[in-house]
């Protein structure tokens, strides 16, 4: 299971500032997916060779004053249930407040690992002031300054020490795809799952999932043998709107990690929005198969080109990762559900597609012959051969005399040629260059 670290605490203690610091540093190093968008509430961080997802609960704060405190309390509960490690943040300048104490009271009873971070310790002279937080009964205090970064390295050391070793999720049934239906609240995920699990489905076995309380179901629907990764029950815990979103985000991250293929559901009336793009980015980053389902298609007034036009709008937004199946479905009217499953199976096959070295070279050396890499700073770049190497998604090594000089645009060309000649629809593939 991957790791989720949640930053909790009352408003204005500096959660977002810390979040941005943790995410930015990694972003500079590994965000090689050009044009992808990052969600302002969660993202990947890396420290000491471990990667984990950081969630800023401060991003899920209700506007209205009267639900405010209860909502944040609920947030703490959700974070306790769903995250692996909690960073409980307090404000050293302000000192312990009644809200800090009330959260500490909740958190103390949690079996989860909690790190108490006393923020705004911008200089050493303030360290003494952090001792006041011993009264929260959470043990050691880590003095940090999210603003200037002091103490954040020690904080990250402490975080990764508490993270369990990462284990690749095991698929006990390697031939059977694990499919997750993901998307924002209210796009129709439960309706789709219910429609799939309805009269045509035949539940084979419930399989104990990798997350504590989820039970994944293996079933045959329309003659397809699949395991549905459970994301249901999203609404069970949270009452406040912002927390439904918070909870759903956490569950989505988990579901993406454990699936082979994610069906990203969007609402036909709302189109593809920022939040959908963040989920899509997660799917690609985790190297999972992707199918986009535009649900509630029954509600759309159709003119001749509606589907085609909508599809173009979506493809433009998801560029450069455009080689993705997009289906217009209706969970209510059971439109194209069989098709969706068939396409998901197809994407699953694409994920493990192996191209023989001879076929690969025949096709790709031809493509390189038709369109040579550009000369860079007077160097002629020659690519001599290619091979597919074992990896979780199709991964190709091209051997060249000057691998470092090959421009991204040419890498893109090779990727497009691979996609054109071999079917990798719905799969993020990888292209690397090595010196030969
Ligand atoms: P959140 O509501 O908990 O997410 O808090 P924010 O990250 O939005 O920060 C609240 C305020 O505290 C902002 O004005 C920040 O500039 C300030 N702040 C955050 N971290 C620090 C810090 O380390 N030192 C100081 N002096 N101010 C900080
Ligand atoms: P979830 O939060 O993503 O699981 O969404 P739900 O399955 O609970 O659906 C949210 C709302 O959208 C409910 O009122 C559903 O009845 C409605 N809905 C779901 N699928 C469709 C559909 O295909 N067509 C229409 N018209 N409404 C739908």
């Amino acid at each position: 299971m991957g790791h989720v670290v949640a930053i909790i605490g009352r408003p204005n203690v500096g959660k977002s500032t810390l979040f941005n610091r943790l995410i930015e540093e990694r972003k500079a190093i590994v965000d090689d997916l050009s044009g992808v968008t990052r969600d302002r509430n969660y993202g990947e961080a890396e420290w000491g060779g471990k990667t984990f997802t950081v969630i800023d609960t401060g991003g899920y704060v209700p506007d209205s004053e009267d639900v405010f405190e209860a909502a944040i309390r609920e947030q703490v509960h959700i974070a306790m249930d769903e995250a692996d490690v909690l960073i409980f943040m307090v404000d050293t300048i302000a000192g312990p407040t009644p809200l800090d104490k009330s959260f500490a009271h909740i958190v103390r009873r949690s079996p989860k690992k909690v790190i108490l971070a006393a923020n705004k310790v911008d200089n050493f002279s303030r360290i003494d002031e952090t001792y006041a937080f011993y009264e929260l009964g959470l043990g050691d205090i880590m003095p940090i300054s999210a603003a200037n970064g002091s103490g954040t390295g020690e904080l990250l050391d402490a975080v990764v020490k508490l993270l369990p070793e990462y284990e690749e999720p095991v698929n006990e049934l390697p031939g059977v795809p694990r499919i997750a239906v993901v998307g924002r609240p209210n796009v129709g995920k439960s309706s789709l799952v219910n429609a799939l699990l309805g009269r045509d489905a035949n539940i084979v076995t419930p399989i104990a999932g990798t997350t504590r309380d989820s039970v994944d179901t293996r079933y045959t629907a329309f003659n397809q043998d699949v395991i549905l990764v459970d994301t249901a029950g999203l609404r069970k815990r949270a009452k406040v709107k912002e927390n439904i979103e918070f909870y759903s985000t956490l569950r989505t991250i988990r579901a993406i990690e454990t699936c082979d293929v994610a069906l990203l559901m969007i609402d036909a009336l709302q189109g593809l929005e920022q939040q959908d793009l963040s989920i899509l980015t997660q799917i690609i980053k985790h190297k999972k198969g992707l199918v986009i389902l535009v649900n509630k298609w029954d509600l759309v007034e159709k003119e001749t080109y509606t589907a085609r036009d909508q599809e173009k709008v979506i493809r433009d937004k998801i560029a450069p990762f455009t080689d993705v199946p997009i289906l217009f479905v209706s969970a209510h009217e059971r439109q194209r559900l069989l098709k969706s499953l068939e396409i998901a199976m197809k994407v699953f096959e694409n994920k493990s597609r192996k191209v023989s070295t001879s076929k690969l070279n025949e096709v790709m050396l031809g493509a390189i012959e038709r369109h040579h890499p550009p000369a860079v700073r007077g160097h002629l770049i020659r690519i001599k051969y290619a091979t597919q190497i074992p990896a979780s998604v199709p991964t190709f090594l091209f051997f060249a005399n000057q691998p470092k000089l090959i421009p991204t645009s040419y890498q893109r060309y090779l990727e497009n040629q691979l996609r054109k000649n071999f079917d990798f629809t719905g799969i993020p593939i990888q292209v690397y260059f090595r010196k030969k």
Side-chain angles (χ1 to χ4, degrees), residues 33 283-290 321 323 347 351 392-395 415 419 424-430:
L33 290 165
I283 297 168
I284 296 172
K285 276 197 172 159
H286 282 87
K287 303 191 173 72
K288 305 298 183 175
L290 168 65
F321 193 65
D323 187 14
V347 167
K351 192 163 188 261
S392 58
V393 290
T395 300
E415 180 178 332
R419 291 188 178 281
F424 295 118
T425 297
I427 300 297
I429 64 174
Q430 308 182 105

Side-chain angles (χ1 to χ4, degrees), residues 173 176-177 179 181 192-207 216-229 263 337 341 345:
L173 301 158
V176 186
I179 294 180
V181 183
L192 177 79
V193 170
N194 289 339
L196 288 174
L197 292 176
R199 53 194 148 84
D200 298 325
N202 172 21
I203 295 181
V204 184
T205 46
I207 300 163
D216 299 339
T217 312
R218 180 184 181 187
Y219 71 103
T220 54
F222 307 105
N223 284 324
Q224 312 283 344
D225 190 7
V226 298
I227 295 165
L228 212 63
V229 178
L263 306 184
L337 302 190
L341 276 184
M345 295 299 283

Side-chain angles (χ1 to χ4, degrees), residues 118-175:
N119 191 33
K120 309 196 185 177
V121 183
D122 305 329
N123 52 61
F124 281 120
S125 64
R126 254 183 222 154
I127 286 189
D128 287 355
E129 295 165 44
T130 65
Y131 301 147
F133 293 106
Y134 276 116
E135 79 166 281
L136 298 181
L138 289 167
D140 287 346
I141 297 160
M142 307 218 58
I144 65 162
S145 168
N148 72 23
S150 70
T152 54
E154 287 83 351
L155 176 70
L156 283 167
D157 286 343
V159 167
V160 298
K161 211 182 273 174
L162 294 177
L163 293 175
E165 280 305 314
Y166 181 76
E167 286 168 39
E168 266 299 318
V170 274
N171 190 346
E172 295 113 29
L173 301 158

